[in-house]
Amino acid sequence: MSELPRPYEVRATPGWPPVRIPGRPGWWRHCIDGEQVDLPTADPSDGEQLNDAAH
């Protein structure tokens, strides 16, 4: 039986599209204002709406 690949941390980079998060289907890592932010969308503007709804 083959071994599973080792998990690794993904990092979003300013100026690049968001990155899919391994092991979390449907979630994307974004770099927003220099911070690593995980959102259930590939569109960072949706995160602003999610953040507004949380407050």
Side-chain angles (χ1 to χ4, degrees):
M1 185 159 110
S2 65
E3 291 184 31
L4 294 174
R6 296 186 66 181
Y8 58 93
E9 184 71 24
V10 294
R11 229 168 141 65
T13 306
W16 286 79
V19 181
R20 287 184 187 261
I21 302 174
R24 290 188 78 187
W27 283 79
W28 299 78
R29 180 150 300 156
H30 302 258
C31 184
I32 300 175
D33 296 329
E35 298 289 325
Q36 298 292 304
V37 180
D38 295 350
L39 299 173
T41 178
D43 184 355
S45 65
D46 288 345
E48 293 171 7
Q49 295 167 358
L50 292 171
N51 194 24
D52 290 343
H55 288 101

